[in-house]
Amino acid sequence: MKKIVVLIFVVMAALSAKAQFYVGGNVALWHNDDADNTSFLIEPEFGYNFSERWAVGATLGFAHNSKETVGFKNAFSFAPYVRYSYYENKVVRLFLDGGIGISSVKYLWIGFNAQLKLTLFAMSAVLYCYVLPAVQYIIHNNI
C-alpha cells in the first residue's frame, strides 16, 4: 500500500514539473458513530493548460459507503471540463470551470410491512452540466 501511495505522489510531481500539466483532486473520509457507517470519496483531477487563460481537464470520482442501508453503496463519476482564468495577480487566480459530467450510483431502498421486509436495488445514471466559479491561491511562482 505504501508503494502505491509513493508511486501516486511521484507521478503527480512528475506531471506537475512541467507547468502545462496539473493534477489535483479531493479526498474525503467520514464516520458516523450512531449509524456505524463509514464513507469515503476519492476524486483525482488531471488537466492541461493551453495558455495562461485556457485549460482542459477531467475528474474521476469514486464514493463508497460501508453500509448499504444508508442509501447508496458505490458511486462513480466522470466530469471533463474547460477552465477559463479571467483574473490573476501575485496571490490569487480567479477562474470558471464549465463542463459535462456523468455519474452512476447504486441505490438501496428498504421498505417495511407488517410481516415483510422489502429490499429494492436500483442503478441510476445521471448526466449533468455545470459552471463553477473558483479561486486558486498561488503559494509560489514555481509551484
Side-chain angles (χ1 to χ4, degrees), residues 27-88:
V27 176
L29 176 66
W30 178 73
H31 179 74
N32 183 344
D33 288 331
D34 296 335
D36 191 30
N37 178 47
T38 301
S39 61
F40 67 87
L41 166 75
I42 299 172
E43 193 175 47
E45 175 184 355
F46 304 93
Y48 178 77
N49 290 314
F50 285 108
S51 68
E52 291 184 11
R53 298 234 180 240
W54 290 97
V56 295
T59 60
L60 296 168
F62 174 71
H64 174 78
N65 273 322
S66 62
K67 284 183 140 182
E68 291 186 355
T69 57
V70 295
F72 71 93
K73 182 71 174 176
N74 295 319
F76 300 94
S77 66
F78 174 69
Y81 62 85
V82 174
R83 176 172 290 171
Y84 176 70
S85 300
Y86 57 91
Y87 175 77
E88 181 178 352

Side-chain angles (χ1 to χ4, degrees), residues 69 108-121:
T69 57
L108 173 71
W109 178 81
I110 298 176
F112 295 96
N113 199 339
Q115 293 87 18
L116 178 67
K117 177 181 175 184
L118 176 66
T119 304
L120 176 67
F121 290 96

Side-chain angles (χ1 to χ4, degrees), residues 17-31:
K18 180 88 170 144
Q20 290 183 330
F21 289 99
Y22 61 90
V23 293
N26 298 314
V27 176
L29 176 66
W30 178 73
H31 179 74

Side-chain angles (χ1 to χ4, degrees), residues 5 8 12 23 26 47 65 72 92 97 118 137 140-141 143:
V5 172
I8 290 171
M12 289 174 62
V23 293
N26 298 314
N65 273 322
F72 71 93
V92 297
D97 281 351
L118 176 66
Y137 294 102
H140 190 275
N141 288 337
I143 297 179

